[in-house]
Amino acid sequence: GEMTLDAAPFTEILWRQEGGVLTLALNRPQKRNAINSLMLAELIFALEQCADDESVRVVVIRGTEKGFCPGDDLSGMGEVPAEYAATLQHPVTHAALQACLMALAKPTIAAIHGFAFGVGLDLAMACDFRIAHEQAQLRDQRVIERGMHAVTGCAWFQPRAMGVTRALEFLILGKALSGQDAAEAGMVTMAVSDSAFEQAVADMANRLANAPTKAIGLMKRQIYTGLNLKHSDFMDFAAPLISEVSIEDRQEGIAAFLEKRPPNFSGR
């Protein structure tokens, strides 16, 4: 039969849904949560499943135990089991995982503690919001140390997040940034102290879980599509989206304003 989120035999991630918040936790603590092919497949599967699930209003991606993610598992990526290969709409690649996150018509949050390196950081960059522990270490390629130049998205994300000058320094000189530095550089949404981290993640997730999900999805689509369009082409792309504003939450927002009360958004 069809695999569903609640029946999926996950081994490399943990998932839990509380209200509108779906949390996907990278769970290979013996490898510090390094990514292998099965983890990629499980993440892509979970994102495909929740895309059409109206009960999911926000997705949080995080790591278990010591940190977020150190990148790919250099000891081997392994095979993708047949049940995933047969079920997925996307190939099992970093490009597809990032595309799933950016195309998801709901907000996503990366919760970064400990460390996020290489494709682990690229995974976080593909999320809409990044909450970092202020002591977390964020680093991408170290071209001048390793002779490696990644083709996994960092050179697309970082100039857009940090500006070209900072991105060249970060990606070529390979300087690690603390969560605090990353917030100041524009790479993460906010950096918070150790004691405030879990509450900050929960607060952001709950705020977004009670927000007008469809409207967020349409705004997100405009932002990511517009990165690659000149203004006139963007305006042509965006104009028809106004036809989608018969969404219930728009009416609720107007009614709440007129009735001087807080809105109660359904996400529809």
Side-chain angles (χ1 to χ4, degrees):
E2 288 278 296
M3 263 199 327
T4 57
L5 189 58
D6 54 4
F10 292 137
T11 63
E12 314 301 279
I13 66 173
L14 300 173
W15 77 274
R16 72 169 189 274
Q17 185 175 350
E18 295 173 76
V21 182
L22 175 68
T23 299
L24 303 175
L26 313 184
N27 186 41
R28 302 185 72 220
Q30 73 286 5
K31 292 283 188 177
R32 299 166 75 214
N33 303 325
I35 297 172
N36 63 5
S37 294
L38 180 52
M39 183 190 280
L40 272 179
E42 291 182 0
L43 286 168
I44 291 168
F45 177 78
L47 291 168
E48 288 181 353
Q49 289 295 304
C50 77
D52 298 320
D53 183 344
E54 284 200 344
S55 74
V56 176
R57 309 270 293 272
V58 57
V59 176
V60 177
I61 297 186
R62 59 181 309 158
T64 49
E65 298 195 16
K66 295 283 199 302
F68 182 75
C69 179
D72 277 333
D73 187 344
L74 297 179
S75 65
M77 294 295 283
E79 290 296 304
V80 178
E83 69 259 33
Y84 279 108
T87 309
L88 296 178
Q89 300 155 33
H90 293 82
V92 180
T93 62
H94 288 291
L97 174 57
Q98 292 168 20
C100 284
L101 283 164
M102 295 168 75
L104 188 68
K106 327 181 176 213
T108 58
I109 302 169
I112 305 167
H113 77 289
F115 46 79
F117 301 147
V119 287
L121 181 55
D122 298 337
L123 168 59
M125 296 305 295
C127 295
D128 305 323
F129 299 92
R130 283 170 289 289
I131 300 176
H133 185 288
E134 59 192 11
Q135 301 301 324
Q137 290 294 299
L138 293 84
R139 187 180 64 230
D140 221 297
Q141 287 309 296
R142 288 180 285 173
V143 174
I144 62 167
E145 282 178 46
R146 298 267 179 87
M148 291 164 62
H149 64 101
V151 292
T152 53
C154 56
W156 191 89
F157 288 114
Q158 297 299 2
R160 287 166 169 80
M162 308 165 73
V164 173
T165 303
R166 298 296 297 265
L168 285 160
E169 176 191 33
F170 182 67
L171 295 173
I172 292 175
L173 299 184
K175 186 173 85 171
L177 296 183
S178 70
Q180 188 63 52
D181 294 336
E184 287 164 13
M187 190 199 300
V188 302
T189 312
M190 67 175 83
V192 294
S193 67
D194 188 17
S195 57
F197 180 71
E198 291 301 335
Q199 193 61 51
V201 174
D203 287 349
M204 176 76 87
N206 289 325
R207 181 180 178 189
L208 289 166
N210 290 297
T213 311
K214 284 237 164 70
I216 291 173
L218 288 165
M219 180 56 76
K220 172 174 169 172
R221 196 161 124 208
Q222 288 190 65
I223 290 169
Y224 288 138
T225 305
L227 286 171
N228 302 311
L229 295 178
K230 61 180 201 252
H231 179 259
S232 58
D233 292 339
F234 172 78
M235 297 304 277
D236 291 343
F237 155 78
L241 298 181
I242 200 69
S243 66
E244 300 191 41
V245 297
S246 60
I247 51 184
E248 287 175 31
D249 282 335
R250 180 177 170 84
Q251 271 80 47
E252 168 61 13
I254 293 168
F257 174 76
L258 294 174
E259 294 163 23
K260 297 184 168 55
R261 60 173 175 81
N264 180 23
F265 292 123
S266 66
R268 289 192 291 277

